[in-house]
Amino acid sequence: MKTVRLIALATIATVGLTPSMQAADPLPSWNDTAPKKAILTFVERVTKPVAPDFVPAAERIAVFDNDGTLWSEQPMYFQLLFALDRVKALAPQHPEWKEREPFASLLKGDITSALAGGEPAIMQIVMSTHAGMTTGEFDTIVREWVASARHPKTNRPYTEMVYQPMLELLAYLRANGFKTYIVSGGGVEFMRPWTEKVYGIPPEQVIGSSIKTKFEMRDGQPVLVRLPEINFVDDKDGKPVGIHQQIGRRPIAAFGNSDGDLQMLQWTTAGSGARLALIVHHTDAEREIAYDRTSFIGRLDKGLDEAQAKGWTVVDMKNDWKAIYPFQTR
Amino acid sequence: MKTVRLIALATIATVGLTPSMQAADPLPSWNDTAPKKAILTFVERVTKPVAPDFVPAAERIAVFDNDGTLWSEQPMYFQLLFALDRVKALAPQHPEWKEREPFASLLKGDITSALAGGEPAIMQIVMSTHAGMTTGEFDTIVREWVASARHPKTNRPYTEMVYQPMLELLAYLRANGFKTYIVSGGGVEFMRPWTEKVYGIPPEQVIGSSIKTKFEMRDGQPVLVRLPEINFVDDKDGKPVGIHQQIGRRPIAAFGNSDGDLQMLQWTTAGSGARLALIVHHTDAEREIAYDRTSFIGRLDKGLDEAQAKGWTVVDMKNDWKAIYPFQTR
């Protein structure tokens, strides 16, 4: 028996695998440039039981920013477009909005004037559209919007404006025992209704910004009511805090695209052993939009410098990705 | 081939399984009383793909209180005993404590006087012992305490004061595709260093109370510093809030032992389909301590009434459990 097995092994070694027996490329939408190689090398290092950098599956935590890393964020964050749609939908119940900024400008279609009020204006829009209902009611509102709303430029559902190479990367990491998390500045309850279907990421692996909720009994039934008060801002310094609060262990891989992800990348790479830090650089003016150091949305300035200084992986979308969106691969 | 398989199947069906092929009792420390039957029936209902109550594995979320449900909580919460030990350890660095309450009484060994100040006194003790260090430093402090501290009555490590029947229940639920979570009023960072080893529950499935943390750069290295400020109280009304914040879906089974778990049980059972709500009732004066409606620690009063009214499962520790602690089964 032993001899037979040895001959069989020798045959495989000599003849090699037939093409159909070779593993399919796990990242077909990535060109064979440096980022793809960095990903494949990292995964091999941490998963090979014999390697010095082996990491047990339970500790293979990978964190992904969402806006600009897993889906697009232009011409503005999709959650802000959701809030604007909600203002229009709720306007009949708020006749006073016709006279009150930022709502008055918004309802006239003048988004620039509406947002000129900066963060306080945005907070007013968010709180008036995201609070005042139960968590179950908000879940339904988000699901209906995701099913019906269309991106102003591509006229596609927002959940089709996701990056095909990143979908492949998520699946590849999970196939290698990684637990994939979203760590986003966006609202956690705005993401959870659709992340499982779109990214394969279940609700309990979504970390995001949140408003406070309050437990109440209504007609003998317990509900959680969404209050117009910030609970947690999962951006910049907040990302390591959110990761620690919700996961309780340090990730070994982090993926972002803007300065809002910088502290998450620093926190991830400060651990010992093999680490992967990757920044998606929006360089493709033709297939998407090119923006970085001076952009209002998704500014990437300090992050680009630190990536250079620390040798983090930077994806040049134009040159490193064969396709941007899933609908471009069909 | 088909005939051979049919004969083989017929043989198995007729002859039946030999005793050694039958599944072992998954809950050997539970007597064959109502609670055990309720658990087995519930798990069968939600896991049988044909049953009307089938729940996909991803939605099989089970939440467990910790103090008094998974481990003991008498003569007082173990985390409070940890804080008292820390006060003693830190006293040399705080000469002013000799004159200041609640520390002065504590250092004289007069715990009753120290805690007479109620919640403000407890908060002072907690903040002076739980804040002011990095998350990594606190992790080390907890690990060292857990490894060396002994329970005042049994002289055993605290992590041996866990309930054997509940360990079996955790393992049984996980073997049936459940994801098991801790949802405790205790500090999340006090539990995470040891829950994986003791309960098989990884850090990311531990929800608890917390103080705020702050991201900082120290000598070019990012750290999270623990601040003397409450972030979240995961008790009573807070438990459904914590569950929603961290898991994002409603559990189908909840396990508690005190009125602090009431809202978690209400929230869990308010969902549609099969639900399991179970309360551990401390009735065993001999093997543990008997306490319920009038206890200062782990009071169970409203919960007992509501369990009666709603038909929740109540475990009578004295009559339903063959053993309390793992060391009693050896």
Side-chain angles (χ1 to χ4, degrees):
Chain A
M1 277 299 276
K2 212 172 174 183
T3 318
V4 173
R5 253 177 54 209
L6 280 175
I7 290 171
L9 284 170
T11 310
I12 290 169
T14 317
V15 178
L17 301 169
T18 65
S20 71
M21 286 168 75
Q22 284 172 355
D25 181 356
L27 302 172
S29 299
W30 293 69
N31 285 318
D32 291 327
T33 46
K36 181 172 180 171
K37 283 172 198 159
I39 293 165
L40 296 173
T41 304
F42 169 76
V43 170
E44 198 186 335
R45 279 176 72 189
V46 299
T47 54
K48 262 202 176 171
V50 287
D53 288 322
F54 176 72
V55 176
E59 292 166 28
R60 288 181 210 151
I61 305 284
V63 288
F64 290 80
D65 169 58
N66 186 40
D67 299 308
T69 299
L70 294 180
W71 75 352
S72 285
E73 59 183 352
Q74 301 285 2
M76 65 182 89
Y77 298 123
F78 294 173
Q79 190 174 1
L80 196 49
L81 294 166
F82 161 76
L84 302 187
D85 282 349
R86 291 302 300 159
V87 167
K88 285 177 214 156
L90 293 168
Q93 297 159 48
H94 293 276
E96 76 280 10
W97 283 356
K98 276 186 195 150
E99 316 286 327
R100 229 181 75 199
E101 291 300 348
F103 305 100
S105 295
L106 264 190
L107 293 172
K108 284 179 212 142
D110 182 359
I111 293 171
T112 311
S113 296
L115 301 186
E119 203 172 298
I122 291 174
M123 281 302 294
Q124 271 194 72
I125 295 167
V126 169
M127 290 308 180
S128 64
T129 53
H130 285 64
M133 70 292 280
T134 67
T135 52
E137 287 161 357
F138 188 71
D139 179 90
T140 303
I141 291 167
V142 172
R143 282 175 199 274
E144 287 175 359
W145 182 82
V146 164
S148 63
R150 295 292 180 270
H151 187 270
K153 197 177 151 191
T154 64
N155 204 34
R156 301 238 171 209
Y158 289 97
T159 47
E160 288 186 16
M161 305 283 292
V162 296
Y163 303 130
Q164 174 64 25
M166 297 305 280
L167 297 181
E168 294 167 8
L169 177 56
L170 285 167
Y172 172 59
L173 290 175
R174 287 194 293 261
N176 280 281
F178 280 77
K179 213 163 173 176
T180 53
Y181 279 84
I182 289 175
V183 178
S184 170
V188 65
E189 298 207 41
F190 174 71
M191 297 182 282
R192 280 178 169 159
W194 52 268
T195 54
E196 188 149 32
K197 200 176 157 195
V198 174
Y199 302 135
I201 297 179
E204 63 268 29
Q205 285 163 227
V206 180
I207 301 171
S209 297
S210 57
I211 57 177
K212 286 196 190 296
T213 61
K214 186 174 172 287
F215 180 87
E216 262 184 39
M217 279 294 190
R218 287 187 179 174
D219 304 325
Q221 286 298 307
V223 293
L224 290 170
V225 182
R226 291 169 60 79
L227 306 177
E229 193 185 337
I230 289 288
N231 177 58
F232 181 65
V233 178
D234 191 48
D235 196 29
K236 300 188 177 75
D237 286 9
K239 290 205 174 191
V241 171
I243 287 168
H244 188 73
Q245 168 89 3
Q246 206 135 331
I247 308 177
R249 44 183 152 203
R250 198 190 297 257
I252 63 168
F255 305 85
N257 78 296
S258 80
D259 286 354
D261 303 314
L262 184 55
Q263 289 85 350
M264 175 172 83
L265 295 163
Q266 290 169 336
W267 179 247
T268 299
T269 52
S272 59
R275 303 277 152 169
L276 179 63
L278 183 149
I279 289 178
V280 174
H281 188 192
H282 293 262
T283 52
D284 199 323
E286 206 171 306
R287 293 181 300 175
E288 203 209 18
I289 300 175
Y291 61 97
D292 49 28
R293 293 186 188 270
T294 59
S295 177
F296 177 66
I297 300 275
R299 175 171 305 173
L300 176 64
D301 183 31
K302 287 180 200 165
L304 218 41
D305 295 336
E306 191 143 339
Q308 178 86 20
K310 295 199 173 161
W312 294 344
T313 298
V314 177
V315 169
D316 175 340
M317 284 175 78
K318 188 176 172 180
N319 293 309
D320 295 330
W321 284 1
K322 282 184 193 148
I324 307 288
Y325 301 117
F327 51 82
Q328 295 168 337
T329 64
R330 285 166 204 156
Chain B
M1 277 297 279
K2 210 173 176 183
T3 317
V4 173
R5 254 177 53 208
L6 279 174
I7 290 170
L9 283 169
T11 309
I12 290 170
T14 316
V15 178
L17 301 169
T18 66
S20 71
M21 287 168 74
Q22 285 171 356
D25 180 356
L27 303 173
S29 299
W30 294 68
N31 286 318
D32 291 326
T33 44
K36 181 172 180 170
K37 284 172 198 158
I39 294 165
L40 296 174
T41 304
F42 169 76
V43 170
E44 198 186 335
R45 277 176 73 188
V46 299
T47 54
K48 263 202 176 171
V50 287
D53 288 322
F54 176 73
V55 176
E59 293 166 27
R60 288 181 211 152
I61 306 284
V63 287
F64 290 80
D65 170 57
N66 186 40
D67 298 308
T69 299
L70 293 180
W71 75 353
S72 284
E73 59 183 352
Q74 299 287 2
M76 66 182 88
Y77 299 123
F78 294 174
Q79 189 173 1
L80 197 48
L81 294 166
F82 161 76
L84 302 186
D85 282 350
R86 291 302 300 159
V87 167
K88 283 176 216 157
L90 293 168
Q93 297 160 46
H94 293 274
E96 76 280 10
W97 283 356
K98 277 186 194 150
E99 317 285 329
R100 229 179 78 199
E101 292 298 348
F103 305 101
S105 294
L106 264 190
L107 293 172
K108 285 179 211 141
D110 182 359
I111 293 171
T112 311
S113 297
L115 301 186
E119 203 172 301
I122 291 174
M123 282 303 293
Q124 270 194 71
I125 295 166
V126 169
M127 290 308 181
S128 65
T129 53
H130 285 64
M133 69 292 281
T134 68
T135 52
E137 287 161 356
F138 187 72
D139 179 90
T140 303
I141 291 168
V142 172
R143 281 174 201 274
E144 286 175 0
W145 183 82
V146 164
S148 63
R150 295 291 180 271
H151 188 269
K153 198 176 151 193
T154 65
N155 204 36
R156 300 240 172 207
Y158 289 97
T159 47
E160 289 186 15
M161 305 284 292
V162 296
Y163 302 130
Q164 175 64 24
M166 297 305 279
L167 297 181
E168 294 167 6
L169 177 56
L170 285 167
Y172 172 60
L173 290 175
R174 287 194 293 261
N176 280 281
F178 280 77
K179 214 164 175 176
T180 53
Y181 279 84
I182 288 175
V183 179
S184 169
V188 66
E189 299 206 42
F190 175 71
M191 298 182 281
R192 281 177 169 161
W194 51 269
T195 55
E196 187 150 32
K197 199 176 156 195
V198 175
Y199 302 135
I201 296 180
E204 61 268 31
Q205 284 161 230
V206 180
I207 302 172
S209 297
S210 57
I211 58 177
K212 288 196 189 295
T213 62
K214 186 175 171 287
F215 180 88
E216 261 183 40
M217 278 296 190
R218 287 187 178 174
D219 305 324
Q221 286 297 309
V223 293
L224 290 171
V225 182
R226 291 169 60 78
L227 306 177
E229 193 185 338
I230 289 288
N231 177 58
F232 181 64
V233 179
D234 191 48
D235 196 27
K236 299 188 178 74
D237 286 10
K239 290 206 174 191
V241 171
I243 288 168
H244 188 74
Q245 168 89 2
Q246 206 134 332
I247 308 177
R249 43 182 153 205
R250 197 189 299 255
I252 62 169
F255 306 85
N257 79 297
S258 80
D259 286 355
D261 304 314
L262 184 56
Q263 288 85 350
M264 176 172 83
L265 295 164
Q266 290 169 335
W267 178 247
T268 299
T269 52
S272 59
R275 304 277 153 170
L276 179 64
L278 184 149
I279 289 177
V280 174
H281 188 190
H282 292 263
T283 52
D284 198 324
E286 206 171 305
R287 294 182 299 175
E288 203 209 18
I289 300 176
Y291 61 97
D292 49 28
R293 294 187 189 270
T294 59
S295 177
F296 177 66
I297 300 276
R299 176 171 304 172
L300 176 63
D301 183 31
K302 287 181 200 164
L304 217 43
D305 295 337
E306 190 143 338
Q308 178 85 23
K310 295 198 173 162
W312 295 344
T313 297
V314 178
V315 169
D316 176 341
M317 284 174 78
K318 188 176 171 178
N319 293 309
D320 295 330
W321 284 0
K322 283 184 192 149
I324 306 288
Y325 301 117
F327 52 80
Q328 294 169 337
T329 65
R330 286 166 203 155

